[in-house]
Amino acid sequence: MKIFALLLLLIFIVIAVFTVLNWEVLITVTPLFLGVAEVEAPLGLVMLGLLVILGAFFIFALGYQKTEAIFRDRRHARELQTTQELAAKAEASRITELREFLTEELARQDKQTTETSAELIARMDQLADELLNRLSEELARREQQTTETSAELMARMDQLADEVLSAQAESGRTAGASAEKGALPANLGEQAARRKEEYQRKLEAQLAEWSAEIEQLKEKADQAGADLKDEYLEQIENLRAKQQDARENLARLKEAGDDAWEELKAGANRAWEALGQALQAARDKFK
C-alpha cells in the first residue's frame, strides 16, 4: 500500500512539474468544438481540469474501497469475536453438562453399590437363617432318631426282662418250692407294674413332644403360600389322625391290668412307630 501511495504522489509531482514548465502553452486560447457549439478556451487548462477531476474521483474511489474494507474487516472481527464468545459459552455449557452428568453417574453408582450391598447383606442373613433352620431341623431329627432308638432299646430290654422273668418263673415252677411259688408271682406282679408305669411315662413324654412339634408344623402350614397350604394341611390332618390313634392306644394301655398290658404293648409300639414315621415325613416335606 505504501508503494502505491508513493507512485501516485510521484505521478502528481510529474504532472505538476509538467504543468509549470508548459504553463504558457496550457493557457493559450484555442477554438474548441463541443458538438453543438464552438467556444474558445485554453485546451491545456481544460485537459488539466479533467485530469484533476479524474484524479479526485480515483482518490475518492480508492478511499471508499479502503473505508469499505476497514468496515468489512471490523464487521468480520466482530463476527469472529461473537463466534468465539458463542464457542466459549458452548464449551462452558458442555463442560457444565459433563460435570452434571459425571455427578449424576457417580450418584447412581453409589446408590447402586448401596443397594447391592443391602441385597448381599439381606441374602447373607437369609442364608444364615436357612442354615440355622436346617441345623435346628437336623438336630431335632437326630434327637428324634435318638429317642426312637432309645425307645426301641427300652422295648428290647423289657422284652429280654420278660423273657428272663419267664425263664425264672419256669425254673421256679420246675423246682417245685412252695414258698418260692407264693413269693414269685408277687415279685413278678410288682415288676410288671413298674415296667408298665415306666413304659407309660415314656410314651406320654414322647407323645407330648410330638404334639408340640405338630403344632409348630401347623403354624408353618398356616403361613405357607396358597399353592402349598392345602397339601401341608392335609399332611397335618394325617398326623393328627395318627396322633389320636396313639392316644387311644395309650388310654387302652392305662386301663389294662398289670398282667394284660403286655398284650396291648405291640399295638402301642406300632401306633408310635407310624406316628414317628409320619412326623419325619412331614419334617422333610416342610423344609
Side-chain angles (χ1 to χ4, degrees):
M1 187 64 187
K2 291 182 179 181
I3 296 175
F4 180 77
L6 291 175
L7 181 60
L8 185 62
L9 180 61
L10 181 61
I11 292 173
F12 280 129
I13 292 173
V14 171
I15 293 173
V17 172
F18 178 79
T19 301
V20 172
L21 293 177
N22 298 280
W23 181 254
E24 292 295 336
V25 177
L26 293 175
I27 63 176
T28 301
V29 177
T30 305
L32 300 176
F33 182 70
L34 300 178
V36 294
E38 184 178 345
V39 296
E40 291 184 356
L43 180 60
L45 290 178
V46 173
M47 296 301 294
L48 183 61
L50 292 175
L51 181 61
V52 171
I53 292 173
L54 181 61
F57 179 76
F58 178 75
I59 292 173
F60 175 77
L62 184 63
Y64 177 78
Q65 290 180 355
K66 181 64 176 177
T67 303
E68 185 180 4
I70 291 173
F71 282 118
R72 185 172 60 250
D73 292 340
R74 289 182 178 178
R75 185 172 63 253
H76 289 167
R78 286 195 299 270
E79 292 176 356
L80 180 60
Q81 183 178 2
T82 303
T83 303
Q84 290 177 350
E85 291 177 355
L86 291 176
K89 290 180 180 179
E91 186 67 22
S93 177
R94 285 195 296 269
I95 293 174
T96 303
E97 291 177 358
L98 180 60
R99 184 182 297 109
E100 292 177 354
F101 173 76
L102 291 175
T103 303
E104 293 177 357
E105 186 66 19
L106 289 175
R108 188 181 66 81
Q109 291 290 339
D110 292 339
K111 182 179 179 181
Q112 185 176 2
T113 302
T114 303
E115 292 176 353
T116 304
S117 300
E119 291 177 358
L120 288 175
I121 293 174
R123 181 57 179 166
M124 292 177 64
D125 293 339
Q126 182 180 1
L127 290 175
D129 293 338
E130 291 179 357
L131 181 60
L132 289 175
N133 291 333
R134 290 183 180 180
L135 289 175
S136 300
E137 293 174 356
E138 183 65 20
L139 290 175
R141 187 178 64 81
R142 295 285 181 86
E143 183 179 358
Q144 178 63 28
Q145 290 179 352
T146 303
T147 303
E148 293 176 355
T149 303
S150 300
E152 292 177 358
L153 290 175
M154 292 181 65
R156 182 58 180 169
M157 291 176 63
D158 291 340
Q159 183 179 359
L160 291 174
D162 293 340
E163 292 177 356
V164 171
L165 291 175
S166 298
Q168 289 179 355
E170 184 66 25
S171 176
R173 285 193 297 270
T174 303
S178 59
E180 293 179 358
K181 288 182 179 179
L184 186 57
N187 190 20
L188 290 176
E190 293 177 359
Q191 291 180 359
R194 186 169 58 253
R195 288 198 308 273
K196 176 185 176 183
E197 184 178 356
E198 292 176 356
Y199 186 70
Q200 289 177 359
R201 285 199 303 269
K202 180 183 68 175
L203 294 184
E204 289 173 351
Q206 187 67 67
L207 184 60
E209 181 181 350
W210 285 350
S211 298
E213 190 171 357
I214 291 172
E215 293 301 324
Q216 293 177 358
L217 294 177
K218 176 64 168 57
E219 294 178 359
K220 289 184 179 181
D222 293 336
Q223 297 174 359
D227 54 340
L228 297 176
K229 187 173 183 179
D230 294 338
E231 183 178 358
Y232 286 174
L233 290 177
E234 183 179 355
Q235 195 88 9
I236 295 298
E237 291 300 325
N238 184 29
L239 285 174
R240 291 194 184 281
K242 294 185 181 301
Q243 181 186 24
Q244 183 62 30
D245 185 31
R247 286 175 177 171
E248 292 175 357
N249 277 274
L250 180 60
R252 287 194 296 269
L253 191 67
K254 289 181 178 180
E255 295 175 356
D258 295 339
D259 296 333
W261 75 276
E262 292 287 350
E263 299 177 359
L264 301 175
K265 185 177 179 181
N269 287 336
R270 286 192 299 271
W272 249 250
E273 183 179 357
L275 179 58
Q277 292 176 354
L279 188 57
Q280 183 59 44
R283 293 193 198 100
D284 297 337
K285 190 73 175 179
F286 278 57
K287 286 183 179 180

